Amino acid sequence: MRIERTVIADIPEVEKIYSEARAYQFQQSGYAWPVFSKSFIEKEIIDKRHFKVLDKDDEMAGVFSIVKAEPIIWNDKDGKEAIYLHRMAIRNRYRGKKI
């Protein structure tokens, strides 16, 4: 496995991974992420904050993004910066593979 920055051409595959993750979330808890727009994903890619996890055959096994602050989600009122792995999603067939 290796991690690389996602590129614009990867967006259709990224959308598939997020869709599969939403279905899994909903199945497990009745709750799921909202649908992330193409422009939202594209902005993260342009900002070099979106990454893909590739298997040995270069298949995209999962994705994630990074953010340096998320005061609403992590209740960080002081604005301290950290690096957060965000919106991590993995294809179902890779679950349990210690990725």
Side-chain angles (χ1 to χ4, degrees):
M1 294 284 170
R2 70 181 191 286
I3 296 171
E4 293 182 1
R5 282 197 172 103
T6 314
V7 296
I8 299 296
D10 292 326
I11 290 176
E13 203 64 24
V14 170
E15 290 175 319
K16 288 177 189 174
I17 292 171
Y18 281 141
S19 178
E20 193 172 306
R22 275 191 303 280
Y24 182 80
Q25 288 172 332
F26 193 78
Q27 176 188 25
Q28 296 299 308
S29 68
Y31 167 81
W33 286 328
V35 173
F36 306 120
S37 70
K38 181 179 178 181
S39 62
F40 179 82
I41 298 167
E42 189 174 272
K43 172 112 173 72
E44 286 189 327
I45 293 170
I46 290 167
D47 292 345
K48 298 181 179 179
R49 298 185 301 109
H50 200 277
F51 296 84
K52 57 189 173 185
V53 179
L54 300 169
D55 71 7
K56 62 181 174 47
D57 298 320
D58 290 333
E59 182 177 359
M60 202 179 303
V63 295
F64 65 92
S65 60
I66 59 172
V67 293
K68 293 187 178 177
E70 274 286 359
I72 294 171
I73 294 174
W74 289 291
N75 198 24
D76 183 9
K77 298 176 200 139
D78 298 330
K80 296 176 189 167
E81 282 197 3
I83 295 177
Y84 298 100
L85 299 182
H86 202 40
R87 284 184 300 284
M88 295 180 284
I90 189 164
R91 290 183 188 277
N92 287 337
R93 67 179 165 271
Y94 289 95
R95 292 190 189 288
K97 307 273 188 209
K98 299 181 181 183
I99 295 177

